[in-house]
Amino acid sequence: MRKPLLLAVLLSVTAMPAMANLQLAQKNNCTACHAVDRKLVGPSYKDVAARYAGDKGAEAKMAGKIKAGGSGVWGPVPMPPNPQISDADVKALAKWVLSQK
């Protein structure tokens, strides 16, 4: 296999989980209030990742916030609960949000 083709294949495979999780966020209407790199109604995913960087319990905290909602951490606008999102999807979303740099 040629190097450029191999590189293209590797890049597409490594980008797939990120794209899938962005699509998961879009599917669950997370992107109505959040964007990757700028504040909308709620904080950007990058700001969330920066705030929780180094926090070993961040993934569980984030999953809990996604599922149960919350308020007061980022200002007066509450985040609504999302009980309809499966636990597996909540975990994937939390992990993805925290991976944003």
Side-chain angles (χ1 to χ4, degrees), residues 2-3 6 10-11 21 27 32-33 35-36 40 51 54 60 69 73 82-83 85 98-99:
R2 290 186 209 155
K3 286 183 183 179
L6 177 61
L10 289 173
L11 288 174
N21 288 323
K27 173 186 152 196
C33 296
V36 172
L40 293 176
R51 177 175 281 185
V73 177
N82 294 282
I85 303 176
L98 293 169
S99 74

Side-chain angles (χ1 to χ4, degrees), residues 29-92:
N29 296 320
C30 303
T31 54
C33 296
H34 301 278
V36 172
D37 58 357
R38 68 190 188 322
K39 179 182 180 351
L40 293 176
V41 175
S44 73
Y45 297 133
K46 288 183 179 187
D47 288 343
V48 173
R51 177 175 281 185
Y52 292 100
D55 181 345
K56 298 205 184 297
E59 191 174 314
K61 288 178 196 173
M62 180 72 47
K65 289 282 187 177
I66 293 168
K67 198 75 157 177
S71 64
V73 177
W74 294 92
V77 179
M79 181 168 145
N82 294 282
Q84 76 283 3
I85 303 176
S86 73
D87 290 343
D89 285 351
V90 164
K91 185 175 180 177

